[in-house]
Amino acid sequence: MATDRRASWLKGVLDLLVLGCLTEGESYGYEIARRLDGAGLGRIRGGTLYPVLNRLETAGLLAAEYRAAERGPGRRYYRLTPEGERQLAEQSAAWDEFHATTRAVLAGAPATGTKGTHT
């Protein structure tokens, strides 16, 4: 059950994590997956990651460029667009608020009914 719960949590925040991986510059899918794994989030398979990258690109949050490689297959490099940077800042703030509220409830604090609550 813990693995199922963790996968569900990751699905809810994967778009934000992918955007966050690109704050220091462009990267490609395999390297993004390695960064997420190295951060302790586990292995993100291509069948999960590439639809996220495509969705973020379609939404105008990422720009992509295919580059041929000297050896091996070419790679598609992704970078944040100005709108992606704006969304990252906005969604990061929303995540911080959600995280703080969750931590408070888990620590026994009463729910305060702040914005963004759903029933």
Side-chain angles (χ1 to χ4, degrees):
M1 173 140 151
T3 302
D4 293 341
R5 181 70 62 201
R6 186 175 172 94
S8 178
W9 294 338
L10 185 59
K11 284 180 188 177
V13 74
L14 188 56
D15 288 16
L16 181 60
L17 294 171
V18 168
L19 293 175
C21 283
L22 296 169
T23 57
E24 295 178 12
E26 66 183 12
S27 191
Y28 53 96
Y30 179 73
E31 184 60 32
I32 293 168
R34 280 187 33 193
R35 285 189 65 194
L36 294 171
D37 188 20
L41 296 166
R43 184 172 174 223
I44 309 297
R45 296 183 185 272
T48 299
L49 180 60
Y50 287 102
V52 169
L53 290 166
N54 290 333
R55 183 173 58 251
L56 294 172
E57 182 182 5
T58 299
L61 305 180
L62 298 180
E65 176 185 345
Y66 178 82
R67 296 185 197 150
E70 288 184 24
R71 293 186 299 181
R75 292 184 176 139
R76 191 163 171 85
Y77 284 81
Y78 299 89
R79 64 178 165 74
L80 288 172
T81 63
E83 177 63 15
E85 291 174 0
R86 189 185 73 72
Q87 281 292 315
L88 175 60
E90 184 179 297
Q91 295 303 313
S92 292
W95 175 260
D96 288 343
E97 181 181 330
F98 177 78
H99 179 259
T101 300
T102 302
R103 298 288 305 165
V105 170
L106 292 174
T112 61
T114 62
K115 71 176 185 171
T117 58
H118 300 281
T119 55

